Amino acid sequence: MSANDDLKALIRTIPDFPKPGIQFRDITTLLLDPKGFAQTIERMAAATRGTVDLVAGIEARGFLFAAALALPLKAGVLLIRKDGKLPGATIAEDYALEYGQDRIAIHEDALVPGARVLLVDDLIATGGTARAAVRLIRKAGGVVEQAQFLVDLPDLGGADALRKEDIAVDALLSFPGH
Ligand code: AMP
């Protein structure tokens, strides 16, 4: 037994979704479990270092963890959205996908310069999305030095790539492989 095996047991693995060879780690089953979700947030809060002004969540599952975590941390919530969804003036960042490109955005006035931001998502795989989010927050004047995930897929190298950007990375659980 390791520390977060109780949470790991609440995550369902769906093979070959969304395409052959991918083991999809489905966290919706953890969200359905009141104790499991509460424990997830409690353990993420305990792993947070120092004072945080904003918890930044990556669309869409990241929003759930960011919003819940912001409450015990007494922080605000910064939405990192897919491009084209935010109504006000935005700044955006592109990142590479396996096939093609994607773009995330925040409101250009969402951050006061020097705001301390904790980045949160459900899962880190290649880290492409999280690294783009870090670039975006830094471009907007925020200070981001830590990121938290429920799940890490260490064989895909995303957490290590994020550490190279001077981010302290924590994940409650990890799964081998893709
Ligand atoms: P990446 O940019 O490669 O780190 O991918 C991160 C995003 O893709 C996260 O927001 C995850 O929700 C999703 N994702 C990537 N791989 C998986 C997987 N095997 N199972 C579930 N979600 C995944």
Side-chain angles (χ1 to χ4, degrees):
M1 277 290 278
S2 59
N4 297 312
D5 278 356
D6 54 336
L7 304 181
K8 198 169 191 173
L10 294 170
I11 294 174
R12 171 170 66 175
T13 298
I14 303 199
D16 301 320
F17 182 89
K19 55 183 188 183
I22 304 286
Q23 303 272 36
F24 194 87
R25 308 302 178 176
D26 177 19
I27 58 94
T28 64
T29 39
L30 178 140
L31 294 172
L32 287 166
D33 188 283
K35 191 163 170 229
F37 185 46
Q39 277 298 309
T40 300
I41 298 305
E42 203 169 292
R43 293 176 204 180
M44 283 180 154
T48 302
R49 302 156 176 83
T51 306
V52 166
D53 300 309
L54 293 172
V55 183
I58 302 176
E59 187 167 355
R61 288 176 297 247
F63 290 172
L64 300 164
F65 296 94
L69 188 52
L71 297 176
L73 297 182
K74 301 193 183 335
V77 180
L78 173 67
L79 301 188
I80 301 188
R81 299 218 61 179
K82 305 280 185 202
D83 193 37
K85 301 274 191 184
L86 289 166
T90 57
I91 54 171
E93 188 70 27
D94 293 317
Y95 61 102
L97 296 175
E98 195 178 348
Y99 303 103
Q101 272 214 334
D102 215 342
R103 178 176 288 180
I104 50 174
I106 59 175
H107 276 137
E108 65 179 12
D109 59 356
L111 288 165
V112 290
R116 290 158 298 186
V117 182
L118 167 65
L119 181 66
V120 171
D121 204 358
D122 65 328
L123 180 145
I124 183 160
T126 66
T129 318
R131 277 187 296 135
V134 166
R135 292 197 298 275
L136 188 56
I137 293 163
R138 287 178 173 163
K139 199 156 78 178
V143 176
V144 53
E145 293 172 338
Q146 49 182 328
Q148 292 195 19
F149 303 88
L150 172 55
V151 178
D152 179 23
L153 305 183
D155 296 343
L156 293 177
D160 283 341
L162 212 48
R163 290 185 183 108
K164 292 201 179 100
E165 313 275 345
D166 295 320
I167 304 287
V169 181
D170 291 293
L172 295 181
L173 303 172
S174 67
F175 288 90
H178 288 219

